[in-house]
Amino acid sequence: MLDFKKGDGLIPVVIQDNQTLEVLMLGYMNEEAWEKTQADGKVTFFSRSKNRLWTKGEESGNFLTMVSSAVDCDNDTLLIKVIPAGPTCHTGSRSCFNTAYNQNFLLQLERIVQQRYVESSEESYVHRLRERGINKIAQKVGEEAVETVIAALAETEHDFINETSDLLFHLIVLLREKGLNLEVIAKKLEGRHQ
C-alpha cells in the first residue's frame, strides 16, 4: 500500500515507456491522482505549480496510458509503465530527460519486426525477407557479418557503423524467424557473466 504521508501527501512517480523501458518523466501524485489514474487508465498527476490534478495530455493529446505499476520497497515511490501517445515532454521531446537517443531502441526494433510478422505488407522489407525463407534470412546475416568485418578492418567508421546496423537488424529478423527474441540472448549473456 502506498504511503502518501511521508511526502506530505505526495509521492514521486517515475514514468517508463512499456516498450523501450526508457524513463520518460518524473511527476508527483497524491492519493486522488493515483485513484484517478487507476480508474481511467490515463496517468494523472498532482501539479504542484497548478495546485490541482493534471492528466498528462489533457491539452496536447499526448496521453500516457498505464500498462502496469510497481511500488518501491519503502512504499513511497511508484513506477508506472505506459504507452505514450506522442512526445512526453512539453518541449516535444520523447523524454523529459535530454537523452541523445533511445537507449533501448533495439527492443523497439524487435517489436517493429514482430509487428511486421503479424501485419504483413508487400511493401515491408521484413515481409519480403520472410517470404524468401529462413535460408535467405540466415544467408543475409552471414553476408552482413562478413561486410561488418571488412568494414572494421579496411573501411571508414561510418561504413563500419552502417554494416554493424545491418547485421543487428538482420540478426533480429533471424531470431524472430526462429521464434526467439533478444531477451533469450540477454539472459544467456547475463548467465555467462556470472
Side-chain angles (χ1 to χ4, degrees), residues 23-38:
V23 174
L24 300 176
M25 69 174 289
L26 172 73
Y28 293 87
M29 286 185 181
N30 60 10
E31 199 162 356
E32 185 181 4
W34 175 229
E35 289 170 1
K36 183 169 173 38
T37 297
Q38 292 177 94

Side-chain angles (χ1 to χ4, degrees), residues 59-76:
E59 294 174 16
S60 66
N62 297 333
F63 293 100
L64 300 172
T65 302
M66 184 171 73
V67 175
S68 65
S69 64
V71 179
D72 79 332
C73 58
D74 293 324
N75 296 320
D76 61 359

Side-chain angles (χ1 to χ4, degrees), residues 21-180:
L21 305 180
E22 182 177 18
V23 174
L24 300 176
M25 69 174 289
L26 172 73
Y28 293 87
M29 286 185 181
N30 60 10
E31 199 162 356
E32 185 181 4
W34 175 229
E35 289 170 1
K36 183 169 173 38
T37 297
Q38 292 177 94
D40 298 347
K42 304 274 191 257
V43 177
T44 296
F45 298 101
F46 180 82
S47 171
R48 295 172 296 163
S49 60
K50 298 174 186 173
N51 199 31
R52 67 172 178 85
L53 293 186
W54 164 67
T55 300
K56 174 69 177 115
E58 66 186 24
E59 294 174 16
S60 66
N62 297 333
F63 293 100
L64 300 172
T65 302
M66 184 171 73
V67 175
S68 65
S69 64
V71 179
D72 79 332
C73 58
D74 293 324
N75 296 320
D76 61 359
T77 303
L78 191 58
L79 171 68
I80 299 180
K81 291 186 180 178
V82 301
I83 299 171
T88 300
C89 187
H90 71 280
T91 65
S93 294
R94 176 182 66 254
S95 168
C96 291
F97 299 96
N98 193 15
T99 54
Y101 70 102
N102 178 351
Q103 300 93 331
N104 294 306
F105 180 74
L106 290 178
L107 296 174
Q108 187 174 352
L109 180 60
E110 181 179 57
R111 286 179 180 89
I112 291 168
V113 168
Q114 168 67 24
Q115 184 179 358
R116 297 292 193 273
Y117 265 67
V118 173
E119 300 167 6
S120 196
S121 165
E122 295 293 327
E123 295 84 40
S124 165
Y125 177 66
V126 171
H127 171 77
R128 292 193 305 273
L129 269 176
R130 187 175 181 208
E131 288 289 307
R132 295 169 80 183
I134 192 167
N135 289 344
K136 183 59 180 173
I137 297 170
Q139 180 183 344
K140 279 299 289 179
V141 171
E143 289 170 11
E144 298 302 341
V146 170
E147 290 172 6
T148 298
V149 170
I150 292 169
L153 297 175
E155 296 178 9
T156 68
E157 182 179 286
H158 176 76
D159 294 328
F160 177 65
I161 291 169
N162 280 336
E163 296 303 340
T164 302
S165 299
D166 290 345
L167 174 60
L168 286 172
F169 170 79
H170 287 91
L171 185 57
I172 288 171
V173 174
L174 182 59
L175 284 169
R176 174 59 187 91
E177 186 66 25
K178 293 291 291 180
L180 300 171

